Amino acid sequence: MKTMLFGATALAALLASQAHAQTVATDAATPAPTPAPTPASVGSTNQRDIIVTAPIQTSERDVLQGTTVLTGQELTRQLRPSLGETLARQPGVSASSFGPSASRPILRGFQGDRIRVLTDGIGSIDVSNTSVDHAVIIDPLLAERIEILRGPSALLYGTSAVGGVVNVIDTRIPRSVPENGYRLNGIANYGSAANERSGGMAGDVAVGQHLVLHADGSYLKSGDLRTGGYILSRDARAQALATAAQPVDPNEADPIDYAATAQLKGKLPNTQSETWTAGAGASIITDNGSLGVSYSHYDSLYGVPIRYATQPGQEQEAPRLDVVQNRVDLRGEIDTGGDVFSKIRVRVGQASYRHFELEEDNSVGTAFYNKGLEGRLEVVQANRGGWQGASGVQFYNRIFNVVGDEAFLPKNETNQTGLFTLQQYEAGKFRAEGGVRYEITDLAARTPEDDLRFYRGSQSYHSVSGSLGASYALTDSIRVGLNGSRTERAPSAEELFANGAHAGTQAYELGNPDFKLEKSWGLEGTLHAHGDGFSFDASAYYNWFSNYISENQVAASVCQAAANPSGRVVDLPCFQYQQADARYYGFEADASVKLAQIGGYAVNADVLGDYVHANIVDQGPVPRIPPMRVLGGIEAQGDRINGRVEVEHVFDQNRIAAFETKTNDYTMVNASIGLSPFGKDSKTTLLLSANNLFDVNARRATSFLKDFAPLAGRDFRATLRFGL
């Protein structure tokens, strides 16, 4: 961490000296100084094909793994209250769908601690990876751009990114000086399915030649989500009706009307939400770099869908989560102009997070506290004869504590330090890339004296991960690539130390402090074809895991024995983390083609598809894996009007773990029209969309709550974006 702070201090000194030198030169030349030239805006939407998340900025066409960029009108069309639902229609992406407010992205079937969710290159510093009912503390309303990296190069952001990285890029720390001395961007949104009303504003103002100040804020309020049919799935309804036919237990204090539960339709109870955010930032910007800081506050109160009781003995709760995060960020970059090193970058984020899980009487049942600090220092090599690279160090600290009725984890601390390098070589049509990351992870659990069931101690892991790949341009339009990787992931604190009831997953979770490193080998092939009027991108992959960590249902006596020192009674299904060999393989592809030019409108067709097959050797399918999916659309694009119709079909998921239920297929039809009344170059756009037009009752196989919480029914949305 000292290295990163030293790097930030050095950047500040260099920028200050450059700014002073430029100011003196300007003052000597003219009596009235004019604003300094605006440097290229890294990550701005006019550089859509440049992947900002990669340590070395690379064209999307040349990246050696599956990559997706979401920006502009496409981001507006897909915008939803949660990050998972915003990204769920991208190739290779699904969502955990624990209600409309808590939905985390799933990449290639990987979720939780196997993917990293970043905000401008640094982790979200929340507890969304701990449980599916915990929201990601990133507001999509304020996103300028979202990048999704799948495959081995994402490991440069941590070994927990074995499934990939989602990087949400905003403008909270300004990257450029506004041309007119100021800029303002806003968004207003309405969604009918949950009576969702939301809006956000972000503005920058230049103070002098090199200082830019920023302020932003957002607000969202929604009611209970309206669905397309029965709340319970067919199997859950049948079970509830069978229970209703049985005699009522006279000893039951508060008998449940199982017949009424089976007939629930329409709105999904306890899914209302209210969220607001506020942030401020400032940057010193020169022709050769920038250094900026920001502060942000996130505040949300949202309900979690009820997991209804369908037979005696099951718990039925309607919890709400009261979430607050305060965060400080720093980002700096300087172009050194050197022959060996061309750029130095530093990025640091620190956040204090807490959420209270509220009972129906508004009392706090369980409290989650999380403090995190993460930083990166990168040095980018100058391009010498086609050879370039980036190397750096990353540090991460998390102190996590759960207090209350569902304290399934002891207070724990994670410290992680990683050293990494990525090297690229390009010669004509040939491009090669290799990366290595060495990581030290220390995890410690602290046990309260009055709760002896938790393991007291610490674990330390040393992991080495790497990838090597190459691509070749068969023609000016077609490039093929092959990438191999070897990864090692340290277990998370939850996988090591869990020992308690967890209402979010309706399970008593039991970790294993003796776990070894999770290891895997991987191969991925890619094909990029881009030409006049057509585009095609595809990836196919295969991963071999050893010591793969997963939760499996075991006899209740196993958890009861672990809980005995504290005298607690286990009244939930017992799930124990275990290690075994596993295999993942699949593909994702998307294509588009120009069909015709009719007057001022280009008519395009596009299609995407993805599939994941995941199996634990000698046990069976990995639970909650998304099934095969195909989505196709036709779009007419003009300078002022864009119209689109699309159809998405998600197949049955019959490859399930023993404790899962099958998920039926569904087909959704969506339509939208985008208006740019002042021309395509204007920042003012209005998007009108109708989603799930036929009010289909749809459920995601990846959701813990799929039998109790279907997706949104018919939803009409209006989104206005504007800017000055």
Side-chain angles (χ1 to χ4, degrees):
M1 197 61 214
K2 290 181 179 178
T3 303
M4 296 169 196
L5 294 176
F6 174 77
T9 304
L11 281 169
L14 285 169
L15 287 168
S17 65
Q18 290 174 354
H20 176 71
Q22 291 173 13
T23 302
V24 170
T26 305
D27 288 344
T30 61
T34 57
T38 302
S41 176
V42 178
S44 62
T45 54
N46 62 359
Q47 297 187 32
R48 188 193 186 284
D49 63 333
I50 300 299
I51 304 303
V52 178
T53 307
I56 306 170
Q57 292 182 25
T58 307
S59 168
E60 185 179 358
R61 304 178 183 186
D62 296 329
V63 176
L64 291 176
Q65 64 279 324
T67 306
T68 300
V69 177
L70 199 60
T71 189
Q73 190 172 98
E74 179 64 15
L75 176 58
T76 303
R77 183 186 295 120
Q78 304 299 343
L79 194 65
R80 298 295 185 275
S82 68
L83 185 61
E85 298 304 316
T86 297
L87 301 178
R89 288 185 174 87
Q90 303 309 305
V93 184
S94 186
S96 56
S97 298
F98 206 90
S101 299
S103 188
R104 199 171 193 264
I106 296 173
L107 307 183
R108 294 181 172 177
F110 295 108
Q111 56 181 302
D113 200 54
R114 291 190 182 90
I115 70 166
R116 292 219 65 197
V117 177
L118 310 177
T119 174
D120 197 13
I122 290 292
S124 54
I125 313 182
D126 52 31
V127 296
S128 62
N129 65 322
T130 299
S131 179
V132 285
D133 60 329
H134 302 162
V136 178
I137 308 304
I138 296 177
D139 188 354
L141 279 170
L142 298 176
E144 182 186 49
R145 176 186 180 96
I146 302 177
E147 296 184 350
I148 306 167
L149 269 67
R150 315 165 195 86
S153 72
L155 290 168
L156 295 179
Y157 288 90
T159 54
S160 59
V162 61
V165 160
V166 174
N167 190 16
V168 181
I169 300 164
D170 57 30
T171 60
R172 186 160 283 155
I173 301 178
R175 291 180 171 85
S176 62
V177 178
E179 291 184 6
N180 300 319
Y182 67 92
R183 57 179 161 238
L184 179 69
N185 293 289
I187 183 171
N189 183 70
Y190 176 77
S192 67
N195 192 25
E196 173 197 333
R197 296 138 287 165
S198 61
M201 294 278 288
D204 296 336
V205 60
V207 180
Q209 292 179 289
H210 306 291
L211 177 63
V212 180
L213 304 181
H214 172 92
D216 62 58
S218 67
Y219 179 78
L220 178 147
K221 188 171 185 177
S222 65
D224 288 337
L225 182 71
R226 197 190 69 79
T227 69
Y230 286 105
I231 299 301
L232 270 62
S233 67
R234 181 181 301 174
D235 290 343
R237 294 201 312 274
Q239 190 176 63
L241 290 171
T243 302
Q246 299 174 5
V248 177
D249 184 354
N251 298 319
E252 191 173 349
D254 188 16
I256 295 172
D257 189 342
Y258 294 100
T261 298
Q263 300 305 318
L264 287 170
K265 278 187 173 183
K267 289 191 175 181
L268 189 60
N270 202 51
T271 53
Q272 69 287 345
S273 68
E274 185 172 16
T275 301
W276 66 274
T277 72
S283 287
I284 299 172
I285 300 172
T286 73
D287 289 340
N288 296 318
S290 65
L291 179 67
V293 296
S294 70
Y295 165 79
S296 61
H297 177 86
Y298 183 101
D299 194 304
S300 181
L301 176 65
Y302 66 90
V304 173
I306 301 169
R307 187 192 295 262
Y308 288 96
T310 57
Q311 56 186 352
Q314 292 181 334
E315 293 186 17
Q316 182 170 295
E317 299 178 338
R320 290 172 299 132
L321 275 68
D322 181 1
V323 182
V324 172
Q325 185 197 64
N326 289 291
R327 177 173 176 132
V328 178
D329 285 272
L330 178 147
R331 185 189 66 235
E333 177 175 334
I334 188 164
D335 186 348
T336 64
D339 294 333
V340 178
F341 300 115
S342 62
K343 292 182 180 179
I344 301 173
R345 302 190 188 109
V346 64
R347 183 73 174 85
V348 182
Q350 186 277 333
S352 177
Y353 168 100
R354 68 96 174 131
H355 84 247
F356 298 146
E357 300 194 350
L358 305 178
E359 307 291 350
E360 292 186 35
D361 62 358
N362 284 330
S363 63
V364 177
T366 308
F368 288 72
Y369 300 95
N370 187 74
K371 289 186 177 182
L373 173 67
E374 183 175 345
R376 291 173 63 89
L377 176 66
E378 295 177 355
V379 178
V380 181
Q381 300 159 214
N383 192 325
R384 299 172 65 88
W387 189 288
Q388 60 181 335
S391 303
V393 58
Q394 181 174 355
F395 174 78
Y396 171 70
N397 169 265
R398 182 185 81 157
I399 299 175
F400 181 39
N401 193 23
V402 186
V403 179
D405 299 338
E406 298 166 14
F408 66 99
L409 271 176
K411 185 176 183 179
N412 60 84
E413 182 172 0
T414 302
N415 284 288
Q416 199 171 75
T417 303
L419 300 173
F420 58 88
T421 186
L422 176 71
Q423 301 294 316
Q424 291 181 351
Y425 177 73
E426 185 171 8
K429 298 181 178 181
F430 177 78
R431 174 188 291 266
E433 180 179 289
V436 177
R437 182 183 180 94
Y438 171 68
E439 194 168 85
I440 302 172
T441 305
D442 295 313
L443 303 104
R446 304 169 185 175
T447 307
E449 293 181 0
D450 60 347
D451 199 342
L452 301 177
R453 65 199 164 107
F454 288 128
Y455 170 80
R456 182 196 298 271
S458 62
Q459 293 283 22
S460 183
Y461 297 90
H462 294 244
S463 60
V464 179
S465 300
S467 65
L468 182 63
S471 67
Y472 187 79
L474 300 177
T475 68
D476 291 340
S477 303
I478 301 174
R479 178 176 288 272
V480 295
L482 183 66
N483 208 335
S485 64
R486 168 65 171 173
T487 67
E488 296 182 339
R489 181 182 75 91
S492 67
E494 292 79 6
E495 293 164 338
L496 293 174
F497 305 129
N499 189 351
H502 191 182
T505 58
Q506 280 291 290
Y508 191 102
E509 298 184 2
L510 185 60
N512 186 338
D514 297 322
F515 276 157
K516 302 175 183 178
L517 285 171
E518 181 181 274
K519 302 179 180 180
S520 72
W521 290 94
L523 280 176
E524 178 177 6
T526 59
L527 171 62
H528 299 289
H530 298 267
D532 185 16
F534 73 92
S535 174
F536 179 74
D537 296 282
S539 300
Y541 55 90
Y542 199 113
N543 293 94
W544 297 261
F545 284 90
S546 60
N547 300 328
Y548 178 85
I549 300 173
S550 64
E551 273 191 297
N552 296 290
Q553 189 168 7
V554 297
S557 58
V558 176
C559 288
Q560 188 62 66
N564 264 341
S566 63
R568 297 193 179 189
V569 176
V570 176
D571 54 5
L572 290 173
C574 178
F575 281 79
Q576 185 179 33
Y577 287 100
Q578 299 176 350
Q579 286 193 308
D581 292 342
R583 304 288 183 265
Y584 274 73
Y585 62 82
F587 71 87
E588 66 244 357
D590 64 289
S592 65
V593 61
K594 183 176 179 179
L595 299 178
Q597 182 73 36
I598 303 175
Y601 293 90
V603 181
N604 303 315
D606 57 79
V607 64
L608 69 82
D610 48 42
Y611 172 72
V612 181
H613 184 284
N615 203 64
I616 300 175
V617 176
D618 298 329
Q619 292 185 25
V622 175
R624 289 175 289 278
I625 294 297
M628 185 172 177
R629 180 260 306 261
V630 177
L631 188 155
I634 296 179
E635 187 166 348
Q637 297 178 340
D639 288 346
R640 296 179 183 270
I641 301 177
N642 289 347
R644 177 178 174 83
V645 177
E646 66 181 26
V647 180
E648 178 185 27
H649 181 75
V650 178
F651 291 81
D652 293 327
Q653 182 54 287
N654 297 319
R655 295 197 74 258
I656 55 175
F659 51 85
E660 287 187 283
T661 57
K662 295 180 180 179
T663 310
N664 294 330
D665 67 334
Y666 63 85
T667 301
M668 283 191 182
V669 178
N670 309 313
S672 66
I673 183 167
L675 307 174
S676 300
F678 306 115
K680 64 179 182 179
D681 296 328
S682 170
K683 292 183 179 181
T684 300
T685 61
L686 175 64
L687 183 75
L688 305 174
S689 65
N691 303 283
N692 193 3
L693 270 169
F694 297 103
D695 211 23
V696 172
N697 189 276
R699 303 174 192 272
R700 282 213 176 97
T702 53
S703 173
F704 275 82
L705 288 179
K706 65 185 179 67
D707 291 317
F708 310 96
L711 301 178
R714 187 181 296 112
D715 184 25
F716 296 103
R717 305 184 71 85
T719 305
L720 173 67
R721 282 192 183 271
F722 57 91
L724 298 174

